[in-house]
Amino acid sequence: MDFRRLAEPAGLLYGTAAEDAVKRGFALPLAGGPAAFSCVDLIEDRTHSGFMPVGNVPAGWQEVLARLVAKPPTAGMPEGAQVMGILNITPDSFSDGGLHQEALSAVQTGQAQISAGASVLDIGGESTRPGAAAVTPEQEWARIGPVVQGLKQQVPEAVLSIDTRNSTVMAQALAAGADVINDVSALTHDPEALPLLAEKTCGVVLMHMRGTPATMTQHAVYEDVACDVVRELGARLTAAIDGGIAPERLSVDPGLGFAKNTAQGVALLSRLPLLANLGCRVVLGVSRKRMIGELTGVQNAAGRDAGTQAASLEGLPLGQTVLRVHAVEGMVQALRVWQRVHTV
């Protein structure tokens, strides 16, 4: 697909207002609903048309507009907006490092997250915080392998996502029953990752990042952060599809906190509907990040859950969004209230 041309939806409507506007031809459903958009900005390279009613979009842009309307595939995860619980089996993750190093404790935490309403667990054995040191794939699997195996035994209905950049860890996790691979490098770190996953059927999450976790802060320079992120993710989607991964297996993560400062993160959050151009499910991970701390003045990462919930709700107009959080129970409550207010 050509992502030089993007359409940015705005003028969002919900519930009966959205339904009525769509029936009358004044709006179009966004990513299959529940939101609808009534106007759109047409962006070609760096040129913007300015926002116009959806009924005024020229015929030559209808294919781009159709990408905004289409409901994205589920990409290996349950249908509809979902909460994904974070389970870091690391000594040095920025928020919960060291809390789940014992496999039994990690499995119990995962069970509690499922009981609290998470439908997906994202299990990681390597910290990807800014400046984090790399670990070997052997160390990574030694950390997460017993947890994956334990969770498959204790909560077989849970969808397990593996947060890894390494093909050997991916292969071992999938053999142990994992359902989704979540790669912060969007399959650029390990040249064996893409050909491996092309032979599998699992879901694959491609996250936006520039550089590596050790160097990414040097790359936080954008002309237009929202358009740049969408186009760079589009390039990774194209590479994955050309490499043999079926489009319906792919979802995207805009990578809040990865090669983006707070101002850039806020700008990206405010324009998340632009991600609908990619035609993919969105995984949104803002949980307890430095951006939340800088916006709220809360220095302790574990105290940022209310800010996390407010930021995460910004992703729900895209319909199938997966909200990746440390504190599951509060996020599930916030999601359910939002859904009651914003759907018919």
Side-chain angles (χ1 to χ4, degrees):
M1 289 183 285
D2 180 7
F3 293 106
R4 291 185 311 106
R5 280 187 156 198
L6 303 173
E8 181 165 6
L12 299 186
L13 301 165
Y14 301 92
T16 54
E19 279 196 348
D20 188 56
V22 169
K23 287 177 182 177
R24 292 171 178 268
F26 300 142
L28 293 169
L30 176 61
F37 61 101
S38 58
C39 56
V40 67
D41 182 18
L42 307 180
I43 308 166
E44 187 159 10
D45 295 320
R46 300 297 179 184
T47 302
H48 294 247
S49 67
F51 286 99
M52 65 180 70
V54 294
N56 292 358
V57 174
W61 282 80
Q62 291 301 316
E63 183 178 344
V64 179
L65 202 63
R67 295 205 303 256
L68 304 183
V69 173
K71 183 178 181 179
T74 57
M77 292 177 280
E79 179 85 20
Q82 302 293 335
V83 174
M84 171 189 279
I86 298 171
L87 198 55
N88 287 321
I89 321 302
T90 61
D92 57 345
S93 291
F94 78 96
S95 174
D96 55 355
L99 293 181
H100 310 307
Q101 287 184 266
E102 295 295 329
L104 178 59
S105 171
V107 170
Q108 290 172 340
T109 299
Q111 290 176 286
Q113 290 179 332
I114 294 296
S115 296
S119 59
V120 186
L121 298 180
D122 194 45
I123 305 164
E126 177 190 25
S127 174
T128 51
R129 61 181 172 78
V135 299
T136 68
E138 292 75 19
Q139 290 172 310
E140 189 181 349
W141 180 246
R143 292 173 177 177
I144 70 171
V147 179
V148 174
Q149 293 158 357
L151 286 167
K152 290 304 292 185
Q153 292 175 352
Q154 297 300 321
V155 280
E157 73 279 8
V159 174
L160 301 186
S161 167
I162 307 302
D163 183 355
T164 183
R165 304 181 289 165
N166 295 305
S167 62
T168 57
V169 176
M170 296 176 187
Q172 289 170 294
L174 292 171
D179 305 281
V180 176
I181 297 297
N182 179 11
D183 185 347
V184 298
S185 80
L187 305 181
T188 62
H189 173 75
D190 186 337
E192 299 300 320
L194 177 49
L196 168 75
L197 294 177
E199 299 299 321
K200 306 297 182 181
T201 59
C202 61
V204 179
V205 184
L206 303 176
M207 196 195 78
H208 180 271
M209 178 174 62
R210 292 175 172 176
T212 68
T215 66
M216 60 186 173
T217 56
Q218 304 168 23
H219 300 282
V221 179
Y222 301 89
E223 186 172 341
D224 179 325
V225 66
C227 288
D228 291 350
V229 166
V230 169
R231 288 182 172 130
E232 290 169 26
L233 277 172
R236 294 312 306 155
L237 282 169
T238 299
I241 293 166
D242 289 348
I245 299 178
E248 60 268 20
R249 295 171 52 198
L250 293 164
S251 54
V252 295
D253 182 337
L256 275 296
F258 288 80
K260 299 164 193 73
N261 60 32
T262 293
Q264 292 160 347
V266 170
L268 186 52
L269 266 181
S270 72
R271 298 173 66 191
L272 285 178
L274 193 64
L275 288 167
N277 283 271
L278 299 172
C280 288
R281 191 169 200 170
V282 173
V283 176
L284 184 61
V286 297
S287 187
R288 299 179 177 176
K289 289 189 174 176
R290 180 180 299 177
M291 178 183 76
I292 305 296
E294 291 184 356
L295 291 174
T296 62
V298 178
Q299 295 185 354
N300 178 16
R304 299 171 184 165
D305 290 333
T308 294
Q309 292 155 17
S312 297
L313 293 176
E314 292 297 315
L316 293 182
L318 288 163
Q320 295 263 52
T321 308
V322 179
L323 308 178
R324 182 180 181 275
V325 298
H326 296 86
V328 168
E329 184 175 5
M331 191 71 255
V332 169
Q333 285 188 22
L335 169 60
R336 288 174 178 164
V337 171
W338 190 96
Q339 289 174 321
R340 285 296 299 271
V341 171
H342 288 88
T343 57
V344 178

